[in-house]
Amino acid sequence: MSESPQVGPSTPPTKKKFFDGLAPWQVVLSVLPLGLLFIGGAIGGALGALGMVTNVKIAKTQLPTAGKVAAMLGVGLAAAVVFLVVAGLLSNALNG
């Protein structure tokens, strides 16, 4: 019979935080789309969360700072426009 391998003390895996490696201004611009949660409920929250994840991915790229700022602000603006379009379509559909 073969013996089971000896397992030594294991160290718990370190969790990587979502905002690790980001400058404070990048964190602020990343969470900016979450403001839709307060004005748009579940739809705004879902779009805001999608925008936040996208902004974090942009912040971790090798773009120059000005490019990152422009792209992250564009994501926030796009999330707001999509929210307004979805809200308008739902309002029109429900109110006839």
Side-chain angles (χ1 to χ4, degrees):
M1 293 206 193
S2 64
E3 293 182 28
S4 62
Q6 294 289 357
V7 178
S10 63
T11 59
T14 58
K15 275 191 166 181
K16 192 171 183 181
K17 294 183 180 176
F18 193 62
F19 296 111
D20 274 355
L22 298 184
W25 66 268
Q26 291 174 322
V27 173
V28 169
L29 286 179
S30 293
V31 299
L32 192 63
L34 284 180
L36 290 174
L37 173 68
F38 300 109
I39 62 169
I43 296 170
L47 290 171
L50 182 63
M52 183 187 70
V53 170
T54 304
N55 275 346
V56 169
K57 288 184 180 184
I58 290 171
K60 292 183 178 183
T61 63
Q62 295 298 321
L63 285 173
T65 302
K68 287 181 185 181
V69 169
M72 292 168 80
L73 289 173
V75 166
L77 182 63
V81 168
V82 169
F83 167 72
L84 291 173
V85 169
V86 169
L89 289 173
L90 281 173
S91 176
N92 193 24
L94 295 175
N95 295 331

